[in-house]
Structure formats: C-alpha cells, structure tokens
Amino acid sequence: MSRIGKRPLPLPKGVIGTVNGQTVNVKGPKGELSRVVHSEIGVKLDGTNLLVTRPSDESRHKALHGLTRALLKNMIEGVSVGYTRVLEIQGVGYKAELKPPGVRLTVGFSHTVDYPAPAGIKLSVENNVLVKVEGTDKELVGQVASEIRKIRPPEPYKGKGIRYQGEQVRRKAGKTATGAKSA
C-alpha cells in the first residue's frame, strides 16, 4: 500500500467530517470545505478517523491513493488552522492598499492594479508592503498568491517587484562600462 495513503486521517477536536458517496465534507472552526474524490478511490469515516482505500495495486491507483489522502489532510488542516501566504513588495514607490473587494497595487505601471479577492479568501496589508493571503483552501490560497505575484514578478537586476516572503531572487550583474575601445 501507499505509505501516505494507508495512514488514517485523525479529525481534530472541533472538526466534523462526513462522507456521502464520493463527496467528502469537512467542517471546522475556520469554515467548511467539500471535495469529490476519484470514483475508484474509497473514503470511509471510522469514528474520528478518515480512511482512504484503493481497489488494487496498480501504479495509478497507488498514486490516486496518496493524492486523495494528502488532499483530505489539507482540507482538515484548512478548516482547523487555516493557510496563510505572505507577499513582499519591493521597489521605490511600490505599495499596496486594501480596497473593499480586494487590494490595490501600485507597482511601477502608469496605472494602479486592482485585484479582487475571490470568495473564501481574506486579503490584508501591513505597512503598505506586505500582502497577507489567508483562507481555508490551500489550493486557492496558493493560486491567489501566485496571481498577485504575477502582476509584477521580481526582476533580476534590481529585485523590484512582488515576491513571496523569504523568496530568494537570483540577481544578475548589470552592464559594465568600459572606458576606451581597444583597437
């Protein structure tokens, strides 16, 4: 069996899981998430644990087995703790400000860029240069952070742009001036 897939998923205190056919619902203090699992993978609730089973030892079933368990683990962690992704804005005059549906970015264009927050995502801005993306769905939090970063990715010469907190940007050397041409 898959080493990841065969482990039972314990439901923490305050988290309620239900299985209805191929649909798994998880409800916790941070919210509620639902996912339809692959038709060949079985999920059952055993007391306070979720168990994921597979029909055979085919490599594709093994892959789906581990994937399904990992996705369900992310759902449980999302509704109990939540996920956060922090973006840094670097550059002279670059800033972010919170606008009711989302965030407004000033990142070196002739215009400001508005990014509306999708349902289930909370955006917050600290010190005009840190954008915090919070939510229960790990995939959605990562997708929103990626879309915001894509507005102005960090450039390699001065490092200006939007980057993930702690991201190392590979820097390139600029042009070097040579005094006289050799004949």
Side-chain angles (χ1 to χ4, degrees), residues 36 98 102 131 137 173:
V36 177
L98 201 56
V131 178
D137 188 355

Side-chain angles (χ1 to χ4, degrees), residues 178-183:
T178 55
K181 285 188 171 182
S182 58

Side-chain angles (χ1 to χ4, degrees), residues 93-165:
Y94 286 20
K95 65 179 181 173
E97 55 186 310
L98 201 56
K99 289 293 175 182
V103 68
R104 175 171 285 169
L105 301 166
T106 305
V107 285
F109 298 124
S110 61
H111 58 284
T112 58
V113 179
D114 290 334
Y115 184 84
I121 294 294
K122 180 183 172 233
L123 295 175
S124 58
V125 178
E126 297 174 14
N127 300 333
N128 291 338
V129 293
L130 291 178
V131 178
K132 192 182 270 190
V133 182
E134 297 175 284
T136 56
D137 188 355
K138 186 176 186 178
E139 293 175 51
L140 188 58
V141 168
Q143 181 67 36
V144 168
S146 173
E147 288 172 1
I148 292 174
R149 183 184 182 275
K150 203 181 291 183
I151 292 171
R152 185 67 143 193
E155 53 95 17
Y157 296 103
K158 291 186 179 178
K160 298 191 312 185
I162 304 171
R163 64 180 76 186
Y164 299 117
Q165 191 171 39

Side-chain angles (χ1 to χ4, degrees), residues 3 5 28 34 50 71-72 84 98 105 119 124 143 145 154 165 171 173 183:
R3 283 189 235 163
S34 178
L50 279 175
L71 292 173
L72 294 177
T84 303
L98 201 56
L105 301 166
S124 58
Q143 181 67 36
Q165 191 171 39
R171 301 290 295 270

Side-chain angles (χ1 to χ4, degrees), residues 2-19:
S2 165
R3 283 189 235 163
I4 299 286
K6 69 181 177 182
R7 286 192 237 152
L9 278 163
L11 296 174
K13 189 174 183 179
V15 176
I16 301 165
T18 57
V19 179

